[in-house]
Each structure stands twice: as structure tokens, then as C-alpha cells.
Amino acid sequence: MAHLDLHQDVVALTAALCDVPSVSKDEGELADAIEAALTPLTHLQVVRDGNTIVARTDLGRAERVILAGHIDTVPITDPPNVPSQRIGGRLLGRGSTDMKGGVAVQMALAASLLEPSRDITYVFYDCEEIEDQFNGLGRLARTQPGLLAADFAVLLEPTDGGIEGGCKGTLRVDVTAKGISAHSARPWNGHNAIHEAGAILGRLSAYQPATVNVDGLDYHEALNAVGIAGGIAGNVIPDKCVVTVNYRFAPNKSAAEAFEHVQQVFSGYVIELTDAADGARPGLDKPAAQAFVAALGLPVIAKEGWTDVARLSALGVPAVNFGPGDPNLAHTDDEWCDETQITDALDALTRWLR
């Protein structure tokens, strides 16, 4: 089993984490190493659920905060980008940005903060990079929600060293254009559903997405076609064409409300909801969130994508994203993280929690 030294330099700890392959559904060795490193720390209560590790202080503080990060990565490249390398102030390797830098910061804090100013729940979870049904944080939320009770949470996903509040929601729908099939040599006997889909695309082109201010942050909504399918043969006028549409919506509305909006946009067409996830308000009006922002002294912007802060928000825990690494480098073959961002993140969170 890999050994993790929690008292070494946090960049070296990140490298050690990167050097233990942990592709989604194959996180067992890394989960074992994290559990083995945290269990001897007497100020923590350590619980394991599958390949998810939860470590908690229980000091009776007035506030409890969560620091969460996933331990899995997308697949390793060929040639492999594991083990890691340190070159010119950069840590190169799979997971360096997404998100073992953040996990290393969590572990360093767990080892060094024996009496933090707030009680802390550290969550190291599996299977974030694959289908929702396998997500370890989601599993905890369903089966042991008490472990995730808190006043505020930080998800240490890569944010290029900034603070990103909450996240947008997302849904996908299939909008169906109906036609009448006919031989393509005699198209006047039918009605071309692919041509009819042009009207659906026209509504999308004319659509003006809103910018919505939630808790002082501007979320830019988006409604876009992300797929189209129609036709059964090269000599048949198609009687059906389906346009797949993705709506990214501000966290002031629920997925149900977002679906109602999409139904209005495409009134007159058959619409099927295929996927939906609520967003998360940043909760910047909450004292714990305000203290976090003040301690870090960094500007806050809206998270324009979707992250697992939404799972925490659904449990009533306001959350932000803050972690080392440029998200534009996540999942790339030459993934790397600026070493300074890892040390800066540790320093910033230490200031907040000490």
C-alpha cells in the first residue's frame, strides 16, 4: 500500500497522491492510503464508506464546515502521465489539477489543524468523474446525510486560485419536429421533419439568454442545441427529427422551473426531459460564507458550470468552489498545476480555519 506523509511539503504530498493511480471505480489503493494516513490522527474521527473517507473534528465549535474533494481521475494517457514530474514550478501528471492538489491541501490541513476555529468535516470521495449513480458524495447524501451536516462547505475543485460561488443548474431535453414520410423523389407527398427542425433552431438563434444576479453574483444562462438526429434512409423524407437542447440556468430557479421555461420556449413541439440537476446558491449572505471570503481576501465570481456543491446545497449547506489548478487544464493529456497555487490555497485556508 502507498504511504502518504502528511507532514511533507504540500506539493510533494500532491505528487505522492498523483503517483497512486485512481481512475474512477479503481480508487481502492488511494482510499486505503488516505484512510491509513488519517486514522492515527487522534483529533479526528475517521469513517469509511466504500472508497469514500470522512474525517471529522468534534470540538464543540459554534460552526462546522466541510472541505470536500474527489480522489478519482479520468483515465491515464498512453504514454502514461503517471508518475508525476516537477518541472520549473509546475507539477505535471494526471490529477495534478483535477483535483489532487485540492485533496493534498485537505490532508495537510487535517494533519496540521489540531484545534481549528471551526469544526471541520473532511470528505474524500470516489467516482466523481463518471455517471452520477456512482458518485461517492451523492451516496453519502442518500445513506448518511448526517455526516454532511454543516454550516458551510468548500469544494476544492480547481478554480485557478479564485473563489467561485455556487453553480448553475443544467438540464437536457429532446425537442421533436414531426413530419410525414414519403419517397424523396416525390417530397410533395410528405413533410420533411428535418426541414421543420429549422424552426426549432430558429427559436434558439433568436433566444436571448438572461444574466441573473443571485446573492450578488451574475450567472450567465445559456440555451443551446447540442445534438440533432433524423432520417432513416437516403431516399426517404424523414417523419421525425429530434433536436437535443441543453439549458444552463441560474440557481435562483429549480430544475422544475427551468423545464417549464424550456417548454414555453418550444411551445407547440413535443418535449422530453432526459436529464436535470439543480444548481446551488452561493449563500454569500450567510455569516460562515462571509467569514470565508473575508479571510481569503479574494473576489468571488459565479461558477458558470455545474459541480458537486449542488449536492451540498440540496442538503441545506451553502457552498463555494475554491482550489488550486487551472480548470482549462483538467482532463488534458499534459495536465499540470502551478505549484504556487497549491501552497497559496493551503495558506489561505489555514488563515480561515486557524
Side-chain angles (χ1 to χ4, degrees):
M1 182 179 66
H3 172 71
L4 299 174
D5 180 0
L6 303 189
H7 299 288
Q8 65 184 320
D9 169 79
V10 69
V11 178
L13 178 57
T14 305
L17 290 167
C18 291
D19 291 347
V20 183
S22 58
V23 176
S24 304
K25 289 192 174 182
D26 194 21
E27 304 97 332
E29 182 181 1
L30 184 56
D32 290 345
I34 292 172
E35 181 182 27
L38 295 177
T39 298
L41 302 178
T42 57
H43 64 287
L44 297 176
Q45 301 171 354
V46 180
V47 177
R48 181 161 180 169
D49 182 297
N51 286 329
T52 290
I53 311 298
V54 179
R56 295 160 49 94
T57 65
D58 190 12
L59 301 171
R61 302 296 196 232
E63 287 182 349
R64 175 172 291 279
V65 299
I66 292 173
L67 300 182
H70 64 84
I71 64 173
D72 63 320
T73 71
V74 296
I76 295 167
T77 60
D78 184 18
N81 49 3
V82 171
S84 61
Q85 301 177 69
R86 297 180 68 172
I87 302 174
R90 295 179 175 181
L91 176 66
L92 291 73
R94 175 60 80 223
S96 54
T97 281
D98 191 13
M99 58 166 289
K100 292 183 177 180
V103 171
V105 169
Q106 290 176 255
M107 298 192 72
L109 289 167
S112 62
L113 294 179
L114 305 186
E115 294 188 3
S117 58
R118 300 157 174 83
D119 271 313
I120 307 173
T121 300
Y122 302 94
V123 183
F124 307 87
Y125 62 100
D126 57 331
C127 291
E128 188 271 348
E129 298 288 8
I130 56 174
E131 293 88 342
D132 178 81
Q133 69 192 84
F134 301 110
N135 186 291
L137 190 64
R139 185 175 65 250
L140 282 184
R142 293 189 300 271
T143 64
Q144 301 190 71
L147 288 176
L148 300 178
D151 299 288
F152 181 63
V154 179
L155 185 64
L156 278 86
E157 284 276 10
T159 60
D160 212 16
I163 303 173
E164 296 177 337
C167 70
K168 289 193 292 196
T170 180
L171 64 77
R172 284 191 299 274
V173 296
D174 286 340
V175 185
T176 299
K178 295 287 190 177
I180 300 172
S181 62
H183 196 293
S184 62
R186 294 176 289 277
W188 50 84
N189 289 331
H191 177 66
N192 194 311
I194 293 179
H195 295 184
E196 175 65 27
I200 296 172
L201 299 177
R203 293 192 190 187
L204 284 168
S205 296
Y207 182 80
Q208 296 294 317
T211 297
V212 182
N213 188 278
V214 181
D215 294 345
L217 302 182
D218 286 336
Y219 292 86
H220 302 89
E221 295 196 332
L223 186 68
N224 290 283
V226 294
I228 189 165
I232 60 172
N235 59 354
V236 177
I237 297 299
D239 63 354
K240 179 181 179 181
C241 183
V242 177
V243 180
T244 300
V245 176
N246 179 223
Y247 181 33
R248 299 290 177 139
F249 54 92
N252 66 320
K253 57 175 71 73
S254 66
E257 292 168 331
F259 183 48
E260 289 179 5
H261 176 68
V262 171
Q263 288 176 306
Q264 294 171 0
V265 173
F266 298 108
S267 62
Y269 290 97
V270 176
I271 304 170
E272 179 186 3
L273 179 65
T274 60
D275 182 61
D278 287 322
R281 300 182 73 102
L284 296 178
D285 56 331
K286 303 294 191 295
Q290 293 172 352
F292 173 78
V293 173
L296 268 63
L298 296 171
V300 188
I301 62 172
K303 180 66 177 179
E304 297 289 5
W306 188 93
T307 71
D308 277 323
V309 298
R311 300 183 192 278
L312 297 163
S313 180
L315 295 173
V317 182
V320 298
N321 306 273
F322 170 74
D326 180 349
N328 293 304
L329 298 172
H331 303 184
T332 60
D333 289 353
D334 56 349
E335 181 179 353
W336 59 271
C337 184
D338 186 323
E339 294 182 0
T340 302
Q341 285 199 0
I342 301 173
T343 56
D344 285 351
L346 176 59
D347 291 344
L349 292 176
T350 300
R351 287 198 305 274
W352 173 49
L353 294 167
R354 192 172 290 273

